[in-house]
Amino acid sequence: MTMIVDNLQAVHERIVAACAACGRDPQAVRLLAVSKTFGADAVIDAMAGGQRMFGENYIQEGVEKILTVREREADALRLSSSGPVQWHCIGPIQSNKTRLVAEHFDWVQSVDRLKIAQRLSEQRPAHLPPLQVCLQVNIDGGPTKSGVAPQDALALAEDVARLPGLQLRGLMSIPEPAMDFVAACALHKRAADLFDQINRAGVLPQAMDTLSMGMTADLEAAIQAGSTMVRVGTAIFGNR
């Protein structure tokens, strides 16, 4: 096995342990491998370990990697029966890059304004399934972080849910690093509470099912707070 496959196993063990600590089913937490700045070979290695969900922050780099991996995907899939690869855009999106995202990615987790969602909707090719969307929420008001303000998230969710070619799946957050586990749990709990609040409002065509939060350093706290998807890069691929 490669180092990446070993690392994947270690991350899955962390997820299982974190779920056991708070009485959750490990199957309720999905792992998104953040492959930004790592090449197609690293993705192929992770695929050999059964990983099928990959996140990219930089759109141009991500598209080039998607195309390269797709050329080799048929051979790579013979190494595992886990199914085709799913690509998530998790970085900020400028208006001039929405077409690339709409044409190549399966998910977008970083929608934070209606204009971007509208462009993604208009540019999603008709032959592809709806683009799966999460709203990025700036849950702690970090001055350098993207994301819709929590008080504006419900209105944005209503607007995005009405757009054709998109399916609203949930929320994503990247809070500032916390001092300790308790503080990290409290930050993630804010996003979980907002997620529940939007679902309880009953204004969406269907309830959101994805709460994307937690990374290498804080995945245990995020799972404690209710995360359904953790985004892990360093613990899988190594330092950038």
Side-chain angles (χ1 to χ4, degrees):
M1 290 195 298
T2 67
M3 179 193 72
I4 288 175
V5 173
D6 288 341
N7 289 346
L8 273 170
Q9 180 60 36
V11 172
H12 281 295
E13 290 171 359
R14 285 178 62 185
I15 292 171
V16 169
C19 288
C22 59
R24 295 185 62 195
D25 180 356
Q27 297 300 314
V29 181
R30 291 172 288 168
L31 172 61
L32 181 69
V34 180
S35 46
K36 68 175 182 180
T37 75
F38 290 93
D41 287 342
V43 172
I44 296 294
D45 282 350
M47 290 170 65
Q51 182 63 29
R52 287 294 176 271
M53 294 168 50
F54 294 91
E56 292 288 328
N57 290 65
Y58 309 121
I59 293 167
Q60 190 66 49
E61 174 198 331
V63 169
E64 292 172 3
K65 200 177 305 178
I66 289 168
L67 295 176
T68 300
V69 170
R70 280 178 181 160
E71 289 178 358
R72 301 165 57 184
E73 192 170 347
D75 289 335
L77 287 176
R78 295 192 189 102
L79 300 173
S80 172
S81 58
S82 300
V85 170
Q86 187 182 92
W87 293 94
H88 294 232
C89 176
I90 58 175
I93 305 173
Q94 297 176 329
S95 294
N96 63 350
K97 295 292 179 64
T98 53
R99 185 173 298 277
L100 283 174
V101 175
E103 291 179 348
H104 294 283
F105 285 85
D106 304 295
W107 281 64
V108 180
Q109 297 197 23
S110 47
V111 171
D112 61 0
R113 57 195 189 278
L114 183 58
K115 176 185 176 181
I116 294 298
Q118 289 170 330
R119 290 178 65 89
L120 291 170
S121 172
E122 293 164 1
Q123 295 167 348
R124 183 66 169 175
H127 70 278
L128 294 178
L131 190 61
Q132 308 299 291
V133 171
C134 288
L135 306 183
Q136 182 173 351
V137 180
N138 188 353
I139 200 64
D140 57 349
T144 64
K145 295 291 176 66
S146 301
V148 61
Q151 63 269 25
D152 298 326
L154 176 58
L156 181 59
E158 290 184 76
D159 289 338
V160 170
R162 287 194 289 262
L163 293 173
L166 306 183
Q167 182 175 357
L168 180 62
R169 295 294 297 273
L171 304 181
M172 183 267 268
S173 69
I174 314 173
E176 296 290 340
M179 293 180 59
D180 53 34
F181 179 81
V182 172
C185 286
L187 277 175
H188 289 308
K189 186 66 165 52
R190 291 190 206 173
D193 288 345
L194 180 62
F195 178 84
D196 291 340
Q197 175 188 331
I198 293 174
N199 273 338
R200 285 197 306 269
V203 296
L204 303 180
Q206 60 186 48
M208 301 185 298
D209 62 3
T210 300
L211 183 54
S212 173
M213 57 186 190
M215 298 185 288
T216 293
D218 64 348
L219 70 85
E220 286 85 0
I223 289 171
Q224 174 80 30
S227 174
T228 68
M229 183 184 295
V230 291
R231 309 179 307 274
V232 179
T234 301
I236 295 171
F237 297 105
N239 292 319
R240 294 178 172 83

